Amino acid sequence: MRLAYLWDSRKCIACGACIINCAANYPELRFEKEPNPMWKWLGANIRRVIREKGKPELRLLSCQHCENAPCVTACPTGASYIEPETGLVKLNKDKCIGCKSCIVACPYGARWLHPKTMYPEKCPGPVCEQLIARGEEPLCVAVCPAEARDFGDIDDPQSSISQKIKRHRVSRMLEHLGTEPKYFVVR
Amino acid sequence: MRGLILAGVGLLLILAGLSIAVAGWFTKSVHLVPWGVMLSAYVFFSLMTAGSSMINSIYTLFGYKGPAGELQNIVKAGVWFSLASALPAWTTILLDLTKPLNSYWLLLGFQPASRIAWMALLYGIYATVLIAELLYVLRYEPAKEVVKGLAAVKLAISLALVIVSLMLYPNLGQVFGVMTSVPGWFGAHMGLLFLIGAFYLGAAGQALFLYPYIKRYGSFFAGFYGRIMIISTALLTVAIAWIFITASHLPIAWVNYEKVLFSAPFWLIQVLLGIMGVAALALLALSRGYLQALPIASIFAIVAAAYMAYYLIVSPQLVLPEVLEGLTRVVDYHIAGDELMVVFGATLVGLGAYSLGMGILPLGAEEKPKRLFILK
């Protein structure tokens, strides 16, 4: 099984529901003045990348769950790892020493430092991890009102995500770096 | 009496340094640059310790004593300096971690693909061999002859130390060099710069801190350290130029390095003090035997190397490529109080350790071990 994310840029209405709900992963940061100082953003695992000049472009960016993940390679203790059962990139906080090499190594800038625990955070957050373990969709996918998001097994040709990848023109971000991301963007 | 004062001052500095550094760790906050000034300080002290060990090896491994045994006379102080300057490196890197007490996972969960994991292993070996070398020189150097049966041990220790030191530089360079996420680091240039920087900083550190020992032995050391400083300064100039030339071909790397290149501190600290100043003073020491020029050259070199470590580590992280082509992530980094506390505290630990060693260890040429039971 290789679980992957898909974001359909054509359907996305940029309402931010996925980001707001992703912040539910970190309720302890809800009333903080600066919940995510590294991104100057909400305590969420999704951030917006916007090109305003020329042709406007938007990307909703979170962990790409790379098959050749630089964060996993950089991690000296094995705390960052690819879960064999799901193919998702995860973090074992018991092993994490907080060297921040994963944050530095991620070319997507998809990790941030939790201001209270000082551990790196990433998608999926603790709530979504439980949802995924129960076979449910992560929060960002479940709440999207435009059905612009999908999540599922790309090894299963019948899965909804596999069908969308097959039907639409999809791309992956920074593919040239050889990270083999599992976050597909429908364009 | 002088020894007791040095030891007392050393102990006080260690305690004060540790208190300040640990207080810095407890007040740690999120910094916009993940690897900031603490990593710069770590690189700085890493280069100093390993560079000093390499310089010691001129005597310990290659057997060059100097015309009147001058190098042999300072080797004990040289090895102690290597160990003392390693302590701030380890203090800063440990206190940069969120969970320094979990560091055992570096070995238990050893990841061969991670350069940081290799740094931990290499440092473990380095510390062990350096302590072994220290014990050897303290115990056997006063005899000024290789003790029968121990020649192979001495050779093995010295060889192991040189090999580990040589492995440290490229590995430390590749901690940064493998990061495709930071174009200013990516490539093989950092390892080479660190290797040259280590000789530059190791010689400067020894010439300054070993001055009480080297001033007794005439103009030999003016020539010895003067030569190393001139050669390493020339090579360092080439390596720095190489970094800027390489960066000029990578748009994002250049955005960062361009700011450094066209800044006043670069020309004042790196070029004027660190290259021209050091080279001129080292030349004065070498050509005229003017020993007093060395400590001034060393201070210039240490200031320049600290600045170099800062801009090499921090600057490339200030502007990073974004996932949309042509866009960048820009970070506004200022050194935070907690970072300063750790760096300052760690520096005091190094100074204190060196002072403590001067007070209680028989580092002088003719001094025999007497105060520490283990060295009897």
Side-chain angles (χ1 to χ4, degrees):
Chain A
M1 185 196 283
R2 283 185 306 149
L3 295 175
Y5 286 77
L6 179 138
W7 174 65
D8 192 331
S9 67
R10 303 164 314 158
K11 286 186 177 177
C12 180
I13 55 171
C15 63
C18 54
I19 301 169
I20 299 286
N21 278 275
C22 182
N25 278 293
Y26 308 99
E28 69 278 13
L29 296 178
R30 194 174 298 162
F31 300 111
E32 288 294 312
K33 198 176 166 192
E34 260 199 312
N36 182 348
M38 195 165 253
W39 290 357
K40 295 186 182 298
W41 190 236
L42 299 173
N45 293 314
I46 307 169
R47 64 183 180 93
R48 272 192 185 132
V49 180
I50 304 170
R51 187 204 303 279
E52 287 167 339
K53 286 181 185 168
K55 185 187 166 194
E57 255 186 294
L58 167 75
R59 291 286 180 277
L60 291 179
L61 196 130
S62 57
C63 176
Q64 307 289 297
H65 297 284
C66 308
E67 295 193 67
N68 186 17
C71 57
V72 173
T73 310
C75 178
T77 63
S80 281
Y81 66 103
I82 296 177
E83 193 175 55
E85 299 82 26
T86 61
L88 293 177
V89 175
K90 289 201 167 176
L91 180 72
N92 177 353
K93 285 180 183 159
D94 291 335
K95 281 186 173 183
C96 180
I97 55 172
C99 68
K100 302 178 281 282
S101 58
C102 55
I103 299 175
V104 177
C106 178
Y108 302 94
R111 290 191 182 223
W112 52 287
L113 207 58
H114 192 293
K116 287 189 170 173
T117 65
M118 298 298 280
Y119 279 122
E121 293 293 345
K122 64 178 286 300
C123 160
V127 174
C128 293
E129 271 190 4
Q130 290 174 15
L131 290 171
I132 294 167
R134 290 204 297 266
E136 295 175 36
E137 289 175 328
L139 289 170
C140 58
V141 179
V143 300
C144 181
E147 294 189 342
R149 285 183 171 270
D150 205 347
F151 174 79
D153 182 9
I154 51 171
D155 280 344
D156 174 7
Q158 302 308 317
S159 69
S160 155
I161 191 169
S162 294
Q163 292 292 321
K164 285 177 185 166
I165 292 169
K166 205 169 142 188
R167 272 204 314 272
H168 302 298
R169 193 164 68 101
V170 294
S171 66
R172 298 181 295 174
M173 290 184 265
L174 303 182
E175 256 191 302
H176 65 279
L177 295 178
T179 52
E180 296 295 327
K182 293 201 300 293
Y183 184 105
F184 297 88
V185 178
V186 179
R187 303 174 74 182
Chain B
M1 190 62 191
R2 184 178 160 271
L4 278 177
I5 293 171
L6 281 171
V9 170
L11 266 178
L12 277 178
L13 285 176
I14 291 172
L15 288 174
L18 276 179
S19 308
I20 295 169
V22 172
W25 181 82
F26 273 112
T27 55
K28 199 146 86 164
S29 57
V30 174
H31 309 122
L32 298 182
V33 163
W35 285 354
V37 73
M38 282 196 257
L39 252 287
S40 307
Y42 159 69
V43 167
F44 172 86
F45 287 114
S46 296
L47 299 190
M48 190 179 266
T49 178
S52 170
S53 290
M54 295 291 288
I55 290 168
N56 293 335
S57 75
I58 294 172
Y59 166 67
T60 57
L61 180 63
F62 300 104
Y64 176 65
K65 296 177 182 177
E70 292 90 343
L71 274 180
Q72 190 176 17
N73 288 334
I74 65 148
V75 72
K76 290 186 283 182
V79 176
W80 177 246
F81 175 73
S82 299
L83 192 59
S85 54
L87 297 178
W90 299 332
T91 308
T92 44
I93 197 64
L94 278 174
L95 294 180
D96 191 41
L97 303 177
T98 300
K99 293 277 174 192
L101 297 178
N102 277 5
S103 298
Y104 59 88
W105 277 112
L106 288 165
L107 295 177
L108 284 186
F110 185 78
Q111 298 293 307
S114 166
R115 296 295 100 199
I116 297 175
W118 281 101
M119 282 312 292
L121 183 66
L122 288 170
Y123 268 136
I125 300 170
Y126 179 77
T128 309
V129 183
L130 191 55
I131 290 167
E133 182 168 76
L134 180 72
L135 293 176
Y136 184 93
V137 294
L138 288 181
R139 177 68 183 84
Y140 296 109
E141 273 308 325
K144 299 232 172 181
E145 58 191 42
V146 178
V147 180
K148 212 175 176 183
L150 282 177
V153 174
K154 183 188 177 189
L155 186 71
I157 292 171
S158 309
L159 187 62
L161 194 59
V162 170
I163 291 171
V164 176
S165 301
L166 277 175
M167 287 169 77
L168 274 171
Y169 308 116
N171 195 67
L172 180 61
Q174 285 316 92
V175 166
F176 304 98
V178 296
M179 299 285 185
T180 52
S181 51
V182 185
W185 290 342
F186 186 66
H189 51 276
M190 297 289 265
L192 184 75
L193 187 83
F194 287 170
L195 175 64
I196 299 163
F199 275 96
Y200 176 83
L201 202 46
Q206 284 203 355
L208 182 66
F209 287 95
L210 270 57
Y211 196 73
Y213 301 97
I214 64 177
K215 70 179 181 187
R216 299 174 197 164
Y217 304 109
S219 61
F220 168 79
F221 285 110
F224 178 74
Y225 288 116
R227 262 189 199 92
I228 299 176
M229 281 185 175
I230 289 171
I231 295 168
S232 60
T233 304
L235 291 173
L236 193 70
T237 309
V238 175
I240 292 170
W242 185 18
I243 283 200
F244 283 103
I245 291 167
T246 308
S248 70
H249 295 284
L250 301 164
I252 301 288
W254 182 240
V255 168
N256 291 306
Y257 280 121
E258 189 186 26
K259 282 184 193 150
V260 175
L261 186 63
F262 295 109
S263 68
F266 178 79
W267 291 96
L268 284 175
I269 301 172
Q270 183 72 80
V271 179
L272 195 64
L273 286 188
I275 294 173
M276 295 164 74
V278 171
L281 287 164
L283 194 64
L284 188 66
L286 176 65
S287 60
R288 301 279 168 88
Y290 189 58
L291 196 64
Q292 290 87 336
L294 280 183
I296 306 168
S298 300
I299 291 169
F300 285 4
I302 287 169
V303 171
Y307 171 66
M308 183 181 78
Y310 180 80
Y311 76 70
L312 280 177
I313 305 305
V314 173
S315 297
Q317 298 175 79
L318 297 180
V319 181
L320 295 171
E322 191 49 281
V323 290
L324 286 173
E325 207 182 334
L327 282 190
T328 52
R329 271 183 284 153
V330 182
V331 172
D332 187 21
Y333 174 72
H334 300 284
I335 300 171
D338 60 288
E339 292 177 294
L340 267 185
M341 283 167 78
V342 171
V343 173
F344 180 64
T347 308
L348 289 187
V349 169
L351 290 171
Y354 186 64
S355 176
L356 180 67
M358 283 176 82
I360 62 169
L361 294 175
L363 300 181
E366 306 300 333
E367 283 183 76
K368 291 195 167 71
K370 55 188 174 191
R371 289 185 184 143
L372 289 181
F373 180 74
I374 190 174
L375 301 172
K376 278 180 182 173

